[in-house]
Amino acid sequence: MAMSDTLKAISDPVRRQILNLLKEEPKPAGAIAAQFDLTAATVSYHLKLLKQAHLITERREKNFIYYDLNASVFEEVLSWIYSLGIGADSHDKN
Amino acid sequence: MAMSDTLKAISDPVRRQILNLLKEEPKPAGAIAAQFDLTAATVSYHLKLLKQAHLITERREKNFIYYDLNASVFEEVLSWIYSLGIGADSHDKN
DNA sequence: TTTCTAGTTAGACGTTTGTCTAAATAGAAG
DNA sequence: CTTCTATTTAGACAAACGTCTAACTAGAAA
């Protein structure tokens, strides 16, 4: 179930771009929405799906809701991809 | 465009299972379809999407069409995931 | 050439998805 | 308390998706 949710979540380009935006630091919903030619409601819908997939977490501060990336859920996806036998390229952290 | 196609393709559980089936060796469409409670037409539809995403290749032999896994297209996906800053776990080939 | 076999293509149909507008909520500020 | 700000929720809707049945195609076999 978990991996299915993760892959469904990142199958949409808007949601992938949201993750890219959160790579550096947490951002409030408004700042995220400002990067797209979409209504705040639509971006909120995408944030909800990312949250349900545990790819982001939220934290309230003043009037703002900050969203933060949680890339750890990708572990399962990586394991699956590698189980298929990936090419000889190196994607490790060294 | 390429990564989008890849992620869209693997967002469906049937298509992921097809890739799992092809991990060991190429298989004809009929043998693949036999693993699912779906019509041959439906499985053919999934094979077409996987083929368009270059996740599989096909080769005709006698009356059969053999499908073979091409996991190399995952490279781009892996690069993106790692660019998000993944956890400390090791997924390399050593 | 006719027929059989493996698989695809076409068309229909219900479900899911992504988007919008309008209304609602939570909390900050006055 | 009232109002303003940031964001979500509800409802509607078109487009995309996954599935089926029926018809078609490519090639093997007889």
Side-chain angles (χ1 to χ4, degrees), chain A residues 29-30 44 63 67:
Chain A
S44 183
N63 242 3
Y67 286 96

Side-chain angles (χ1 to χ4, degrees), chain A residues 6-44:
Chain A
T6 306
L7 292 175
K8 213 80 165 295
I10 65 173
S11 73
D12 182 88
V14 170
R15 291 193 288 270
R16 285 198 302 277
Q17 188 54 38
I18 290 175
L19 297 182
N20 287 340
L21 289 172
L22 297 179
K23 187 162 44 173
E24 306 302 341
E25 64 201 344
K27 287 187 175 60
I32 297 169
Q35 305 297 312
F36 297 93
D37 193 17
L38 296 170
T39 64
T42 296
V43 173
S44 183

Side-chain angles (χ1 to χ4, degrees), chain B residues 46-84:
Chain B
H46 287 298
L47 290 170
K48 183 176 65 178
L49 294 194
L50 288 170
K51 193 169 32 172
Q52 286 172 352
H54 305 105
L55 277 161
I56 59 174
T57 57
E58 71 176 18
R59 160 181 63 90
R60 203 167 190 118
E61 185 166 327
K62 290 190 60 178
N63 244 2
F64 304 83
I65 300 180
Y66 282 80
Y67 286 96
D68 197 359
L69 177 63
N70 173 33
S72 72
V73 296
F74 278 119
E75 290 293 347
E76 194 181 357
V77 174
L78 291 177
S79 291
W80 176 69
I81 292 177
Y82 281 114
S83 82
L84 291 175

